[in-house]
């Protein structure tokens, strides 16, 4: 049963990855078009850049005051948090299953 829940957690991470791949590039294109200073802060290749991902997790997009950017970056942030939570949950449950067996 524990491994089933680990698999469910992994599928949660996959669902988060799907949403992340949809919303994060849209947010980055909006940043490129409307916020060159933020783009300079995030750097080149911001899609999987750790600095950009931490900026997203911290909610740095709120400082811009752009409601359109918030509308794109908020789902990307929730998706990234879902990926992290799903992977952590799957890892913990997998470790628990190996300890109990």
């Amino acid at each position: 049963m524990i491994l089933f829940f680990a698999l469910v957690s992994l599928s949660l991470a996959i669902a988060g990855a799907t949403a992340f791949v949809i919303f994060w590039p849209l947010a980055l294109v909006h940043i490129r078009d409307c916020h060159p200073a933020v783009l300079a802060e995030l750097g080149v290749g911001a899609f999987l850049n750790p600095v950009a991902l931490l900026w997203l997790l911290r909610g740095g997009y709120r400082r811009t005051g752009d409601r359109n950017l918030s509308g794109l970056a908020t789902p990307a942030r929730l998706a990234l948090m879902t990926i992290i939570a799903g992977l952590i949950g799957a890892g913990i449950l997998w470790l628990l299953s190996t300890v109990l067996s």
Side-chain angles (χ1 to χ4, degrees):
M1 191 65 141
I2 292 173
L3 285 177
F4 171 74
F5 287 120
L7 186 61
V8 169
S9 295
L10 188 61
S11 67
L12 182 70
I14 292 170
T18 303
F20 183 77
V21 167
I22 293 169
F23 285 102
W24 184 228
L26 292 173
L28 288 173
V29 168
H30 183 78
I31 290 169
R32 181 196 68 199
D33 293 344
C34 300
H35 303 283
V38 174
L39 183 61
E41 178 185 343
L42 297 180
V44 178
F47 185 74
L48 290 178
N49 186 348
V51 172
L53 295 176
L54 287 174
W55 177 84
L56 180 63
L57 280 175
R58 286 192 312 263
Y61 55 88
R62 293 185 193 128
R63 287 182 288 155
T64 63
D66 185 352
R67 292 179 57 185
N68 294 324
L69 178 58
S70 290
L72 292 170
T74 300
R77 179 179 185 219
L78 292 174
L80 185 57
M81 290 190 304
T82 302
I83 293 168
I84 293 168
L87 290 176
I88 289 172
I92 289 172
L93 288 170
W94 176 75
L95 284 174
L96 186 61
S97 73
T98 58
V99 169
L100 294 179
S101 62

